[in-house]
Amino acid sequence: MAASSQAWGSRVGLILAMAGNAVGLGNFLRFPVQAVQNGGGAFIIPYLICFLLMGIPLLYIEWSSGRFGGKFGNHSTPYILDSMVKGRILKYIGVFGIFTNVAVAAYYCYIESWTMSYVYHSLRGTFNGMSQHGVADFFNNYVDISKSSTGIPYEAVVFYILCLLLNTFILSKGLKGIEKVAKIGMPLLILFGAILAIRGLTLGTSGASELFPNANAWDGLNFLWTPQYDSILDLKVWMAAAGQIFFTLSVGMGTIHCYAAYMNSKDDIALNAVSAGFMNEFVEVVLGSLIVIPIAAGYLGLDWVLENAGFGMAFQTMPYLFQQWGPMLAAIAGLLWFGLLFFAGITSSLAMGTPWIGFMRDEFNWGQNKGAWSFGLLILVMGLPTVIFFQEGVFDEYDYWAGTVSLVVFAMLETILFSWIFGMKKGWAEITSGADIQVPLIYKFIIKFVTPVMLIIIFLGSLFKPLNNDWSGNVSSLLSGNGWSLDNGSIIKTITHAGIKEKIMAATDPAIIGQLESQILYLNFARILLLGLFVFISALVYVAFLKRRREGRATL
């Protein structure tokens, strides 16, 4: 096994890199939309409770697991888990920690490349004079690689490859390169976010027009921060809040394990984990809630926001809103907004490369440069289908299986392994070893009992999601003997393409039927790619096991 010369240069660099890993596009794009769609202020309460009962425990688990595995020279989840519990099978649970990062990076870098492109177009003045509909059409044409409204052939592919090259180059510089980006990117992200948040706070009714005479930015803020207590009893809101924790903290991926594996065995993890976690929460809850929703409400009104809130607002609506400030300020706002999203994206995507690079270095003696460029090539092969077939649903299919289901499965399994197989006695000792803070004793109980139960509920809730997300109605139906009606968004129904097949059965136009049948083919193609990736990584883990056994380093 090649000795690793990688190490973090400073504690500040480590915390910023960890926070950068967590602070991603979801902080600014997904969180405000989830809040709007789940009762505004009612969403914040279960969200914060889930952060304390599930987010913090998972941070403790992953930081301590990674540092523990690093003591034995392991820097990727398969053999980090293998070092915790001796057994052939458990290392294959760790495959999720490499698979998820490769699969998520494949499409995540595509979103990241959008931010690069939009910075360019904001500075160039492409959006000047465009109507809201025109800005939305610009995005639709951008992701349709057969069209180009800017004169750049295959623009989406060009920016995607540029984004991959930048990520790969930085990764080839090792932890020092990642740390340098985090030290520059995180402060700039917070600065850009603060400037835009102040604009959102001071917008007031100045954006109101004859078309939207009742527009008021404060309506958006009031909605986000005023709890509607009746919604707190809705299990759907709790499920959405728990799901957001995965996206916002980057837990259940394996990146935290790998970053922590490069720490000294006596370095603090308790304070580091909490610091990185709360920095992420500040960015998400404070900055994330003060930009998109208030600015959109300030021009288009709260009713429009409630009806149209979605991921696409960042690209299909914000450039139009910035135009209301005049060409010069619009260019500056575009630079700040899409620059902010770019830094949020790249600090996360860089983290996704570390598990693969660490695994290839530990098991096959690959150098940093070879590991980084092989990761870039793997992402290119896996990611181009999400670019070329974006409109056919390949992008969304990756996001569902790799960016949602895989996170929950891995987090659930690793928590059970840490709490019940590795054992809380050893686990608690690892968490508190070298700690610069007194970890509340209650977390020993929470990690062992509360967090695993919450994760199991989330997984089962995703597996058996009820029709129309009506939990109370379906529970009553089940108790009365009328069965449980699955929603098409449940994992079980999604596997069978139930929603698309229902549309095929209801359609009468042969052209529409053909499109839907073609969509199923594309989605199956995406699944084959993802399954093939998982099998490929599992095979590499098995080859590594055989290599370790020959060298006398394997565990049984």
Side-chain angles (χ1 to χ4, degrees):
M1 177 177 64
S4 174
S5 59
Q6 297 285 312
W8 294 104
S10 66
R11 183 172 186 168
V12 171
L14 169 62
I15 293 175
L16 288 176
M18 282 287 198
N21 168 44
V23 174
L25 297 166
N27 292 67
F28 300 96
L29 306 185
R30 194 175 190 275
F31 172 76
V33 171
Q34 286 292 305
V36 167
Q37 294 176 345
N38 290 281
F43 178 78
I44 302 296
I45 295 174
Y47 171 81
L48 293 177
I49 292 174
C50 286
F51 172 68
L52 294 174
L53 297 183
M54 189 173 68
I56 292 294
L58 280 168
L59 288 173
Y60 281 147
I61 289 171
E62 296 194 351
W63 276 74
S64 58
S65 298
R67 188 184 65 176
F68 181 85
K71 296 176 185 178
F72 302 93
N74 297 313
H75 303 90
S76 61
T77 49
Y79 284 99
I80 286 175
L81 299 188
D82 187 65
S83 64
M84 295 173 66
V85 182
K86 307 304 181 184
R88 292 185 178 183
I89 296 298
L90 294 177
K91 65 174 67 66
Y92 294 100
I93 294 175
V95 170
F96 281 100
I98 301 176
F99 161 79
T100 302
N101 286 283
V102 174
V104 170
Y107 71 87
Y108 193 89
C109 284
Y110 186 33
I111 308 175
E112 194 178 310
S113 72
W114 298 348
T115 68
M116 294 176 66
S117 173
Y118 271 63
V119 166
Y120 164 73
H121 286 296
S122 295
L123 295 176
R124 185 188 178 201
T126 301
F127 304 116
N128 290 347
M130 277 192 186
S131 65
Q132 183 185 351
H133 182 71
V135 173
D137 280 346
F138 175 90
F139 176 80
N140 293 331
N141 290 334
Y142 182 88
V143 295
D144 184 348
I145 64 170
S146 66
K147 300 178 181 178
S148 175
S149 57
T150 62
I152 302 176
Y154 300 101
E155 182 177 1
V157 177
V158 170
F159 275 99
Y160 180 67
I161 292 175
L162 286 175
C163 184
L164 281 186
L165 288 173
L166 179 61
N167 275 268
T168 304
F169 173 76
I170 296 171
L171 283 171
S172 70
K173 302 303 178 182
L175 294 184
K176 291 182 179 179
I178 296 173
E179 190 172 343
K180 185 175 292 185
V181 170
K183 285 182 175 179
I184 296 172
M186 286 302 295
L188 283 177
L189 181 153
I190 293 173
L191 175 63
F192 290 178
I195 294 172
L196 289 169
I198 291 170
R199 178 55 178 157
L201 284 170
T202 57
L203 186 61
T205 59
S206 64
S209 64
E210 293 182 2
L211 186 60
F212 300 102
N214 298 317
N216 189 333
W218 286 99
D219 288 342
L221 287 173
N222 289 335
F223 178 80
L224 284 178
W225 291 105
T226 303
Q228 290 103 41
Y229 292 103
D230 56 333
S231 298
I232 296 177
L233 300 178
D234 189 346
L235 184 57
K236 175 179 75 70
V237 176
W238 285 86
M239 293 289 286
Q244 179 62 21
I245 291 298
F246 285 98
F247 283 92
T248 191
L249 293 177
S250 294
V251 290
M253 290 189 68
T255 50
I256 293 175
H257 301 77
C258 298
Y259 272 7
Y262 293 100
M263 297 174 66
N264 186 283
S265 61
K266 295 300 181 182
D267 285 346
D268 163 83
I269 58 169
L271 180 57
N272 286 350
V274 171
S275 299
F278 275 98
M279 184 181 295
N280 174 77
E281 293 309 294
F282 167 78
V283 172
E284 177 158 290
V285 176
V286 178
L287 296 183
S289 64
L290 292 179
I291 301 176
V292 176
I293 301 305
I295 292 177
Y299 283 102
L300 305 174
L302 181 60
D303 290 340
W304 184 93
V305 173
L306 296 178
E307 184 177 345
N308 296 280
F311 182 86
M313 282 178 62
F315 300 94
Q316 295 172 286
T317 304
M318 295 298 283
Y320 166 72
L321 301 182
F322 294 151
Q323 298 310 308
Q324 313 312 309
W325 303 349
M328 180 63 71
L329 289 180
I332 295 173
L335 171 64
L336 295 176
W337 172 239
F338 295 111
L340 175 155
L341 293 180
F342 172 74
F343 285 124
I346 196 167
T347 51
S348 296
S349 60
L350 289 174
M352 296 175 197
T354 56
W356 168 267
I357 295 171
F359 175 74
M360 299 307 289
R361 179 193 300 112
D362 290 350
E363 308 306 327
F364 300 102
N365 302 313
W366 283 24
Q368 183 71 26
N369 201 54
K370 187 175 181 181
W373 288 100
S374 65
F375 176 76
L377 179 61
L378 188 57
I379 297 303
L380 181 64
V381 172
M382 290 295 300
L384 274 180
T386 70
V387 180
I388 297 171
F389 305 117
F390 176 86
Q391 294 180 311
E392 285 76 17
V394 172
F395 178 102
D396 292 331
E397 196 73 0
Y398 273 45
D399 183 48
Y400 180 77
W401 292 109
T404 305
V405 176
S406 182
L407 299 184
V408 176
V409 171
F410 185 44
M412 178 179 66
L413 293 176
E414 69 166 330
T415 302
I416 294 171
L417 185 154
F418 184 89
S419 304
W420 292 93
I421 302 178
F422 183 63
M424 273 310 300
K425 183 178 181 179
K426 290 189 290 185
W428 189 252
E430 193 63 32
I431 291 171
T432 56
S433 175
D436 290 337
I437 59 170
Q438 183 71 36
V439 183
L441 193 59
I442 186 64
Y443 270 106
K444 191 172 185 179
F445 173 83
I446 291 173
I447 291 173
K448 186 169 185 178
F449 296 104
V450 179
T451 305
V453 169
M454 291 183 71
L455 290 168
I456 290 170
I457 290 173
I458 291 171
F459 175 68
L460 293 178
S462 301
L463 193 66
F464 302 107
K465 182 180 179 181
L467 184 64
N468 299 323
N469 221 5
D470 181 10
W471 288 92
S472 56
N474 274 271
V475 169
S476 299
S477 174
L478 183 65
L479 294 177
S480 62
N482 294 321
W484 183 276
S485 300
L486 290 173
D487 190 86
N488 287 335
S490 66
I491 293 176
I492 292 176
K493 287 274 193 173
T494 301
I495 291 174
T496 61
H497 302 295
I500 300 176
K501 289 179 179 178
E502 285 183 8
K503 292 180 181 179
I504 292 175
M505 294 293 293
T508 56
D509 186 341
I512 294 177
I513 293 174
Q515 290 176 356
L516 292 171
E517 290 176 341
S518 177
Q519 184 181 0
I520 291 178
L521 291 177
Y522 280 109
L523 298 185
N524 286 337
F525 168 65
R527 293 179 183 182
I528 290 171
L529 288 175
L530 292 173
L531 181 60
L533 176 64
F534 193 91
V535 171
F536 170 65
I537 295 171
S538 299
L540 287 178
V541 171
Y542 179 69
V543 171
F545 164 73
L546 296 179
K547 184 173 180 289
R548 285 182 171 228
R549 188 167 62 179
R550 288 195 304 269
E551 297 170 355
R553 298 186 293 118
T555 58
L556 299 177

